[in-house]
Amino acid sequence: MKIGILSRKASLYSTARLKEAARQRGHEVRIVDYLRIYMNITSHKPIVMYGGETLDVDAIIPRIGASQTFYGTAVVRQFEMAGVYSANESQAIARSRDKLRCLQLLARAGIGLPVTSFAHSPKDIPRLIEIAGGAPLIIKLLEGTQGVGVVLADTDKAAESVIAAFRQLDTYILVQEFIAEAGGADIRAFVVDGKVVASMRRQGAAGEFRSNLHRGGSAESIRLTPEERSTAVRAAKVMGLKVSGVDMLRSNHGPLVMEVNSSPGLEGIERATGVDVAAAIIEYLEKKAEKGKTQDRIGY
Ligand code: ADP
Ligand code: MG
């Protein structure tokens, strides 16, 4: 198979590992900077151009950065128009990037979530806080990553001022129940084509409630409970993602999904678990990548 990896940089761990795994399994691989892809979007025969040539691949693995979702998903869509199989579809990537949309879809499917509220008007701030059960509360930017847009407010007063400040900047935020019993840890299930291929527990640095590895958290391999496993698989399915990282909190009443990532990093999970996650992704493409097999049926 000819596989294109859409990534800004060949030297990124995940990109390099995917390339290596594809080569080892006998495929031809190209790493393509998706910001350098251009296209004639009105052509009857949709094609994707890169530095003066037409890109001819059988399947792509999109690794779209959070700050480039708009252009990145347009590129993935163009490949789909040309009948190229994408490891994750453009619609699913776009959907997963919006935390609100993600939670609405997961809630509709009956998946456990931290109680979360959302509003437009600053006048409704006290009601938002009430719905989420009062302080301590988590306040989250809709499109943050790596823990940057996530704040813990210890009191209702603090929550009110943080929410008001964000709204002043015209950014939308989610107000969420703080799951204290998670103890600054979360679990990441790496799901490929409906199966959990690896899972880890991440623990935040001392005094840090955010367990993101980018914030100094540490990771170890864990076994998921059957309930955690099925929650992760269902969450990935609800989002329409074939390759995803499902993040959950261990609460007193079972696993609660926080988010579903469409370009989950391989470094943390491979190092913590020793599983060849890159090979699992390539294997999935070997089984499922077929020309023109690109339709998303999730709705919304
Ligand atoms: P990001 O997309 O920036 O990673 P997350 O929603 O994953 O944002 O939150 C970052 C981290 O903060 C999580 O990995 C988790 O450790 C912690 N966290 C987030 N939401 C909650 C919550 N409701 N209760 C307890 N901890 C939380
Ligand atoms: Mg996260």
Side-chain angles (χ1 to χ4, degrees), residues 99 146-147 186 188 202 212 247 258-259 261:
K99 291 190 185 196
Q146 305 182 348
D186 74 352
R188 151 81 45 110
R202 294 175 298 200
N212 301 68
D247 292 345
M258 272 182 303
E259 60 173 347
N261 293 282

Side-chain angles (χ1 to χ4, degrees), residues 63-124:
R63 304 279 319 167
I64 309 298
S67 58
Q68 301 298 349
T69 303
F70 178 76
Y71 197 74
T73 52
V75 167
V76 175
R77 206 179 306 124
Q78 184 72 7
F79 275 107
E80 288 163 0
M81 301 286 163
V84 175
Y85 188 88
S86 180
N88 272 333
E89 288 189 34
S90 55
Q91 278 281 30
I93 299 169
R95 187 183 293 130
S96 74
R97 286 289 155 85
D98 177 339
K99 291 190 185 196
L100 174 62
R101 192 171 173 189
C102 194
L103 292 177
Q104 286 175 312
L105 285 164
L106 295 170
R108 179 176 73 176
I111 287 170
L113 304 166
V115 177
T116 307
S117 58
F118 185 72
H120 175 84
S121 169
K123 292 186 187 126
D124 294 314

Side-chain angles (χ1 to χ4, degrees), residues 12-73:
L12 296 173
Y13 179 95
S14 304
T15 307
R17 285 285 300 119
L18 286 164
K19 179 178 167 187
E20 185 182 37
R23 287 251 163 95
Q24 271 170 2
R25 299 182 66 88
H27 303 290
E28 225 178 277
V29 197
R30 269 194 81 170
I31 295 172
V32 184
D33 177 2
Y34 54 89
L35 293 187
R36 294 300 309 280
I37 283 179
Y38 57 98
M39 49 217 160
N40 176 351
I41 52 172
T42 54
S43 167
H44 279 311
K45 199 172 164 293
I47 51 171
V48 179
M49 305 287 295
Y50 188 64
E53 54 164 325
T54 302
L55 264 182
D56 171 32
V57 290
D58 303 307
I60 53 167
I61 303 175
R63 304 279 319 167
I64 309 298
S67 58
Q68 301 298 349
T69 303
F70 178 76
Y71 197 74
T73 52

Side-chain angles (χ1 to χ4, degrees), residues 63 87-88 92 96 188-198 231-247 259-266 269 277 281 284:
R63 304 279 319 167
N88 272 333
S96 74
R188 151 81 45 110
F190 205 109
V191 184
V192 179
D193 195 24
K195 277 194 229 58
V196 175
V197 298
T231 299
V233 168
R234 279 171 60 223
K237 185 161 185 221
V238 166
M239 298 306 297
L241 291 167
K242 297 291 171 52
V243 175
S244 68
V246 180
D247 292 345
E259 60 173 347
V260 186
N261 293 282
S262 56
S263 289
L266 299 188
I269 193 100
V277 176
I281 295 172
Y284 142 62

